[in-house]
Amino acid sequence: MDKNILLKIAYDGAGFHGWQRQPDKRTVQGHLETVLSRLFKTEILLNGTSRTDAGVHALGQQASFKADVNIPIEKLARVVNNALCGCEKGSFAISPVRIVEAEEKPPEFHARFDAKGKTYIYKINNTEMIDIFQRNYVYHVAEPLDTDAMRQAAKLLTGTHDFKSFEASGSTPRESTVRTIYRMDLLQDGDMLELHVTGDGFLYNMVRILTGTLVDVGRDKLRPQQMTDILAAKDRQTAGHTAPPFGLYLAKVYYEEGELYG
């Protein structure tokens, strides 16, 4: 009998063309579906929560699938991780994709449609000279940033708003561009900045545009008070630049509304 399995997945997005399967391109979904299909000897199709772009990473992507799985659920993550490592070249190869945990869910559960919200983390290295080994994992901003101004701007963006100005141009039209950001915190540890954004949903490239706009505030190209006007304009041209993909991490997916307010 088929079981409905939810996987929590971490991955290094540097070598992938995003999450969503694409013909003739290496994607996280396509790679994982191939490995799972070989392991379970049946076609496995994943329902992922977030379609992360090329270069974007994940600490807690979620994806569900249905299959007649005879492996005990408590051993499933280890078995899949062994299979993922086994398909990499080299005796010391480490897979860029890892199953953090697996759990069985009710038959009607869907990883994407049942999600109540997500947290993204965006990492910025604010130093004159970056470690070259971090180039695929942080956004390097050499100019000093006014973090107090950035935090002021973040406060004005928190709450329920129409975020049309923070949606990438040419995006697929949506019924509504109103979203709620519950928390937007800018944390600092030396030269490293982390923007933590928790919301009930995000438009295409929304977190990257929010980040780029805050960086422009930190560079004194925009004033914090302009956030209100940018939201009211509902025009992508009024917001700041789009931060690059490689500093972005899908950190957590929430399936209980109460977790969003914590």
Side-chain angles (χ1 to χ4, degrees), residues 159-168 171-181 200-204 206 231 233-235:
T160 301
H161 305 286
D162 189 330
F163 283 96
K164 180 66 177 176
S165 294
F166 295 90
E167 181 180 41
S171 303
T172 303
R174 299 170 183 258
E175 289 185 13
S176 173
T177 49
V178 174
R179 299 291 186 272
T180 298
I181 293 181
D200 63 356
F202 295 90
L203 305 172
Y204 183 54
M206 179 173 159
L231 287 167
K234 302 178 187 179
D235 180 356

Side-chain angles (χ1 to χ4, degrees), residues 14-151:
F16 292 96
H17 291 271
W19 163 265
Q20 190 173 12
R21 76 176 78 89
Q22 300 179 51
D24 304 319
K25 288 186 177 179
R26 191 174 190 239
T27 67
V28 180
Q29 181 183 23
H31 176 61
L32 190 50
E33 285 178 343
T34 297
V35 172
L36 290 171
S37 297
R38 289 174 181 167
L39 181 63
F40 298 125
K41 297 180 173 58
T42 187
E43 184 181 28
I44 300 296
L45 298 177
L46 294 170
N47 297 306
T49 302
S50 180
R51 298 174 180 178
T52 56
D53 290 336
V56 175
H57 314 289
L59 307 173
Q61 169 74 285
Q62 301 273 9
S64 57
F65 69 95
K66 293 182 178 181
D68 186 4
V69 177
N70 56 11
I71 300 171
I73 193 69
E74 65 272 13
K75 297 182 180 180
L76 186 60
R78 184 178 65 187
V79 171
V80 176
N81 285 331
N82 287 340
L84 285 165
C85 287
C87 70
E88 298 297 320
K89 295 181 179 179
S91 56
F92 299 104
I94 298 174
S95 172
V97 181
R98 175 170 293 174
I99 307 303
V100 179
E101 62 184 27
E103 62 177 309
E104 185 175 357
K105 304 295 285 186
E108 66 276 9
F109 176 87
H110 191 286
R112 179 183 176 192
F113 299 134
D114 286 348
K116 306 300 183 186
K118 307 166 192 170
T119 292
Y120 284 92
I121 296 174
Y122 197 98
K123 298 186 179 185
I124 300 169
N125 183 224
N126 188 210
T127 184
E128 184 176 353
M129 190 70 69
I130 189 175
D131 177 351
I132 63 167
F133 298 106
Q134 291 295 311
R135 70 191 187 282
N136 291 325
Y137 307 101
V138 298
Y139 178 19
H140 177 223
V141 179
E143 309 97 301
L145 294 174
D146 183 342
T147 54
D148 288 338
M150 293 170 71
R151 291 188 179 97

